[in-house]
Amino acid sequence: MSPSLRRLILLGPQRPNPDVGGVLAEVGGRGPVALVTAGWQEWEEDDGHLRSSLGPETFNLRLYERAERVWRDDPELADGHRELQRRVRRLRHAYNVRLASAMDAWIDLEKMTGDPVVLDAERLDALEAVKALDRHHVRRLGELRRAFYETFDPLHRGAVVREREDIRRTLEPVGSVVVDGGHVPALLNRLRLFGVGDFLQDRVVAACSGGAMAVASRVVLFHDSPPWGPGHAEVGEVGLGLFAGVVALPHGSARLRLDDPGRVSRLARRFAPDTCVILDPGSRVDWDGRWHSHGSRHLTQAGHPSEWEGAA
């Protein structure tokens, strides 16, 4: 886990009944609490429900507002960032075209009956093809982002430096940082723009719902029953990398067909050895050198959700 945190806590959605305040009080989160709600974009300061849970010393870092100032003050950087996002969207489309074929082949082989001596090896190879495509997509995302940073070096541009220094000073007395969800790519882009991960050392970080996705090693987007028809989970982005070994699935009970053993098993096997953890309202898992689950469930390769005991 990087950077070195005092403690990391993953929580479920905080609307309408936030529990983050009680959790931080339990683990001894000291000092003022900083909020990151940039995933809600123009509505980032609609944070009254979180403030009521966290107490009067809570304040919002307003990363979305800060980014808007940066785009206004540095149009060249803004144009470069828009071009990066255009390329990411184009890459995502290409990945999804390839993913649909790879997933369909794997699913068809899973359903096929016949001699296991022949079919089992084909099924395993089809699964490995999906995993290889996921890894390829992560590499390509990294290449696009490295090219952007080599060209624009945002952490050394004046508009970003000013905001970043103000964030650093503002966080000096802070013992805990709460990262809420919303639109995960928007949240992740603002966290990355200001290098917020560098400021989290020796603090308690509570990442809620989509916030847990943003600070993971990889962001897995999922919905088994979207309005446009059955969907395949996809590796949507590379996260901040505050933790590894867990795939965060906020609203998992609502968005996954947990009564479909085939779908559950495929999702668990596809992202193994990472553990797919359901972050429903009231869910909680902690990292303090090992994972501790507080009644949260995970997806099993046997094809059903089960209470998770945590892991080293």
Side-chain angles (χ1 to χ4, degrees):
M1 182 172 61
S2 177
S4 177
L5 308 179
R6 284 183 57 213
R7 190 160 189 161
L8 173 68
I9 304 165
L10 307 183
L11 298 172
Q14 296 299 298
R15 294 175 184 264
N17 299 309
D19 59 353
V20 62
V23 171
L24 287 183
E26 177 187 327
V27 303
R30 66 181 189 276
V33 178
L35 277 177
V36 176
T37 59
W40 299 107
Q41 300 172 284
E42 294 89 347
W43 301 276
E44 73 175 341
E45 291 196 80
D46 182 16
D47 58 8
H49 63 298
L50 292 171
R51 288 173 177 270
S52 66
S53 176
L54 292 164
E57 289 191 286
T58 304
F59 64 91
N60 199 312
L61 284 176
R62 305 187 314 281
L63 296 188
Y64 190 84
E65 176 186 323
R66 292 176 186 273
E68 292 302 297
R69 282 200 295 269
V70 168
W71 306 145
R72 181 194 64 211
D73 295 343
D74 191 340
E76 183 183 45
L77 180 61
D79 289 344
H81 190 266
R82 279 192 290 270
E83 178 62 13
L84 170 63
Q85 295 310 113
R86 185 193 67 79
R87 289 176 173 170
V88 167
R89 288 192 296 270
R90 183 68 59 86
L91 177 63
R92 180 184 178 190
H93 177 70
Y95 163 66
N96 274 293
V97 169
R98 299 180 64 190
L99 181 64
S101 297
M103 286 294 298
D104 287 347
W106 180 29
I107 292 168
D108 287 346
L109 283 166
E110 290 274 299
K111 295 177 178 178
M112 192 176 293
T113 59
D115 187 349
V117 173
V118 174
L119 292 178
D120 284 354
E122 300 306 311
R123 294 178 181 125
L124 180 59
D125 193 63
L127 167 57
E128 290 304 317
V130 174
K131 288 190 169 194
L133 179 58
D134 290 339
R135 291 192 296 269
H136 169 78
H137 185 56
V138 167
R139 286 193 298 271
R140 293 286 288 121
L141 286 168
E143 290 169 3
L144 291 179
R145 189 153 283 110
R146 280 192 298 274
F148 168 75
Y149 274 82
E150 288 170 2
T151 301
F152 294 98
D153 200 9
L155 293 182
H156 292 89
R157 297 177 77 95
V160 177
V161 169
R162 287 191 295 274
E163 297 292 348
R164 182 173 159 82
E165 177 59 19
D166 186 65
I167 292 169
R168 185 194 65 77
R169 289 195 305 267
T170 301
L171 286 174
E172 284 180 352
V174 166
S176 303
V177 178
V178 174
V179 183
D180 199 29
H183 188 272
V184 176
L187 169 62
L188 184 54
N189 285 336
R190 273 67 184 176
L191 289 167
R192 191 178 277 123
L193 175 67
F194 297 114
V196 173
D198 295 339
F199 300 138
L200 300 179
Q201 292 90 342
D202 301 319
R203 293 186 165 93
V204 176
V205 174
C208 310
S209 193
M213 301 170 76
V215 303
S217 296
R218 55 185 173 180
V219 178
V220 175
L221 306 177
F222 65 98
H223 200 315
D224 281 351
S225 303
W228 52 88
H232 300 305
E234 60 177 286
V235 178
E237 254 295 359
V238 179
L240 286 193
L242 298 193
F243 66 88
V246 163
V247 173
L249 303 175
H251 297 284
S253 292
R255 295 188 175 194
L256 293 171
R257 297 181 187 174
L258 297 179
D259 59 350
D260 185 331
R263 293 186 74 96
V264 170
S265 175
R266 281 192 293 273
L267 193 58
R269 285 182 287 153
R270 178 178 168 190
F271 294 110
D274 290 359
T275 302
C276 294
V277 177
I278 299 170
L279 293 178
D280 285 334
S283 296
R284 171 185 166 191
V285 294
D286 295 17
W287 172 266
D288 61 2
R290 60 155 295 178
W291 288 107
H292 304 270
S293 175
H294 298 258
S296 295
R297 297 186 298 165
H298 74 297
L299 306 184
T300 69
Q301 295 189 32
H304 59 270
S306 177
E307 187 168 329
W308 189 44
E309 296 181 357

